[in-house]
Amino acid sequence: MSVLRIYCPLPAVPTTCEWVLFDDRDGSQPGKGTLAQLPQGAAHVQLVLAAGQVLITRARLPAAGRRRSAALLAYAAEEKLASDPDANQVSRLGQVDGDDVLAAVDRLRLQGWHDALNAVGIRVDGVYCETLMLPIRHGEWSLAWNGRDGYVRTGEFEGGATDCGDRQTPPLALQLLLEDARTRDALPTSIALHPADAAAQPDLGAWQLSLGVDVRLAPPYDWRTAPTLVGPRIDDGGRRRWYPPPAALARWRAIGRVLLVALALHSVALLVDRVRLGSEQRQLRAQLEARFRALFPAAVAVADPVLQTRRQLAQARHAANQPDAGDFPVMLGKVAGALSGVQGVKLHALSYEDGRMTLELAGPDPLARQIETRLGQAGFDVEAPPAARHSGRGTFTLTPRSP
């Protein structure tokens, strides 16, 4: 998974920056230039702030306050901030010894970098502080040192920038942090010192004598060499906002286009099929009307050729003293024959009108389907409400099936 890490000097105008791109094969490519020259298409984008531009402090918050907005958290850290709380974005990083650890940054300057990066198509997934990117061991502090000043990480969520020092004298801020830790009985067993280069390496013996803590030399370390899985975020109160990587978005866009094309083709096919079926229906009706007029030329109008043909046929049979399938005696005989083999069925009511017979039957639940099947086999079109099919009791409307 590719990761683009951008070093963001907040006080500077967001026009140029340093960056490093980690590719899928754990390789890294550093660079520097204008924002428009930043690599595009990285799966994740990390914004790194300098240690001196992030204030990490402790505050005691009520349980409900930990879930509130950054604007309210800024007022909780107001005593430690030298500016208007509304001008700072404050996030809760975690909890240490019952205290809540907060990180504060300049809101307007950070937003200016977000806007500038968005303008060139770069969306930041997380904001980090270089202080909390230092590796740390249990019971040990980590110090990054460039020969003049640096920054120290004192815990999972704590650390900060130091003031100046030299080869023989450690920074005063580091000594004060150790004094405070000594009063809380939280003194580290040692300090891992990460020099920027060989020239920045101090006199470890002099430092140890001044600090009263072992100082060991560690490999050079800075934000460019930190692993892609870095320390806690300092934006959104530590909450992880998940965004799909650009590569996944590109794949889903391609899938969406395919689905859209398939849906369009399906809709066109349905429309064509509907038009075709409508045309066939009109042709069949025209054929039925033509056949009806050929058989019965005296008919004045043709509204339903099937029904009118059935009625004309019934009249012709009656004129010849022959029964018709829609006559009451014929239908009653067929119904009696169809229901004769069904046990437990009771006929509550029967009505007949103009070739339609309505039966109100009652019986055990499993018989509804059997009754409907038998009536269909007897030559009827059966209309039964769903309640009749499920309960075995209901109304069945019968009409003779067309030959």
Side-chain angles (χ1 to χ4, degrees), residues 357-362 367-369 371-372 375 382-385 388-389 392-398:
M357 181 175 288
T358 302
L359 307 176
E360 294 184 12
L361 302 174
L367 295 181
R369 289 289 184 184
I371 293 172
E372 187 174 353
L375 292 172
V382 183
E383 297 178 12
R389 293 191 176 100
R393 179 187 179 94
T395 301
F396 296 84
T397 302
L398 313 178

Side-chain angles (χ1 to χ4, degrees), residues 210-270:
S210 178
L211 296 174
V213 175
D214 289 340
V215 179
R216 69 176 182 88
L217 190 63
Y221 201 86
D222 67 4
W223 63 272
R224 300 173 187 83
T225 58
T228 54
L229 297 176
V230 293
R233 287 171 48 175
I234 62 169
D235 59 332
D236 298 328
R239 296 187 296 273
R240 299 291 195 263
R241 285 187 180 177
W242 181 85
Y243 296 103
L249 285 176
R251 288 195 297 270
W252 280 110
R253 287 193 192 99
I255 294 174
R257 294 189 189 99
V258 172
L259 292 176
L260 186 61
V261 172
L263 180 62
L265 292 176
H266 185 66
S267 301
V268 172
L270 286 177

Side-chain angles (χ1 to χ4, degrees), residues 1-7 17-23 29-31 35 37-48 117 120-126 128 223 228:
M1 179 178 63
S2 60
V3 175
L4 175 63
R5 181 175 296 163
I6 304 171
Y7 190 76
C17 65
E18 295 181 75
W19 53 267
V20 60
L21 177 64
F22 299 93
D23 57 31
Q29 175 190 348
L35 301 188
Q37 295 173 326
L38 285 168
Q40 299 284 336
H44 289 279
V45 178
Q46 300 172 348
L47 201 62
V48 179
L117 291 171
V120 296
I122 302 293
R123 184 175 62 186
V124 176
D125 298 305
Y128 301 84
W223 63 272
T228 54

Side-chain angles (χ1 to χ4, degrees), residues 110-396:
L110 181 59
Q111 186 60 48
W113 276 89
H114 275 289
D115 294 341
L117 291 171
N118 286 335
V120 296
I122 302 293
R123 184 175 62 186
V124 176
D125 298 305
V127 181
Y128 301 84
C129 176
E130 62 177 349
T131 305
L132 302 181
M133 295 170 66
L134 276 171
I136 192 170
R137 297 178 182 178
H138 179 69
E140 185 179 63
W141 292 2
S142 292
L143 173 67
W145 187 251
N146 63 10
R148 187 174 59 88
D149 55 25
Y151 50 93
V152 60
R153 184 176 184 181
T154 61
E156 182 182 4
F157 304 114
E158 292 184 288
T162 69
D163 54 353
C164 295
D166 55 35
R167 179 175 172 78
Q168 300 295 325
T169 308
L172 179 60
L174 184 58
Q175 299 182 51
L176 294 176
L177 287 173
L178 288 171
E179 289 296 329
D180 179 68
R182 190 173 284 110
T183 61
R184 294 184 287 106
D185 196 21
L187 201 66
T189 57
S190 62
I191 297 176
L193 190 144
H194 300 269
D197 49 40
Q201 181 177 335
D203 185 336
L204 298 184
W207 276 41
Q208 288 180 165
L209 183 62
S210 178
L211 296 174
V213 175
D214 289 340
V215 179
R216 69 176 182 88
L217 190 63
Y221 201 86
D222 67 4
W223 63 272
R224 300 173 187 83
T225 58
T228 54
L229 297 176
V230 293
R233 287 171 48 175
I234 62 169
D235 59 332
D236 298 328
R239 296 187 296 273
R240 299 291 195 263
R241 285 187 180 177
W242 181 85
Y243 296 103
L249 285 176
R251 288 195 297 270
W252 280 110
R253 287 193 192 99
I255 294 174
R257 294 189 189 99
V258 172
L259 292 176
L260 186 61
V261 172
L263 180 62
L265 292 176
H266 185 66
S267 301
V268 172
L270 286 177
L271 180 60
V272 171
D273 191 54
R274 186 181 182 89
V275 172
R276 180 182 59 83
L277 291 176
S279 176
E280 291 180 357
Q281 184 181 25
R282 289 190 294 271
Q283 292 177 5
L284 288 174
R285 181 176 178 85
Q287 293 175 5
L288 289 173
E289 290 183 2
R291 189 168 183 180
F292 177 79
R293 290 190 179 279
L295 293 174
F296 307 101
V300 177
V302 181
D304 187 340
V306 176
L307 179 61
Q308 289 176 272
T309 300
R310 183 184 297 165
R311 289 177 177 174
Q312 292 288 348
L313 181 59
Q315 292 177 6
R317 286 173 175 169
H318 293 158
N321 293 322
Q322 293 182 3
D324 182 69
D327 292 343
F328 177 75
V330 176
M331 294 182 67
L332 183 61
K334 290 182 179 181
V335 170
L339 301 181
S340 60
V342 182
Q343 301 296 328
V345 177
K346 296 181 181 180
L347 179 63
H348 283 267
L350 183 150
S351 60
Y352 171 84
E353 181 180 1
D354 197 17
R356 292 172 62 88
M357 181 175 288
T358 302
L359 307 176
E360 294 184 12
L361 302 174
D365 291 351
L367 295 181
R369 289 289 184 184
Q370 183 180 357
I371 293 172
E372 187 174 353
T373 301
R374 283 177 170 267
L375 292 172
Q377 293 174 348
F380 293 109
D381 289 328
V382 183
E383 297 178 12
R389 293 191 176 100
H390 293 295
S391 66
R393 179 187 179 94
T395 301
F396 296 84

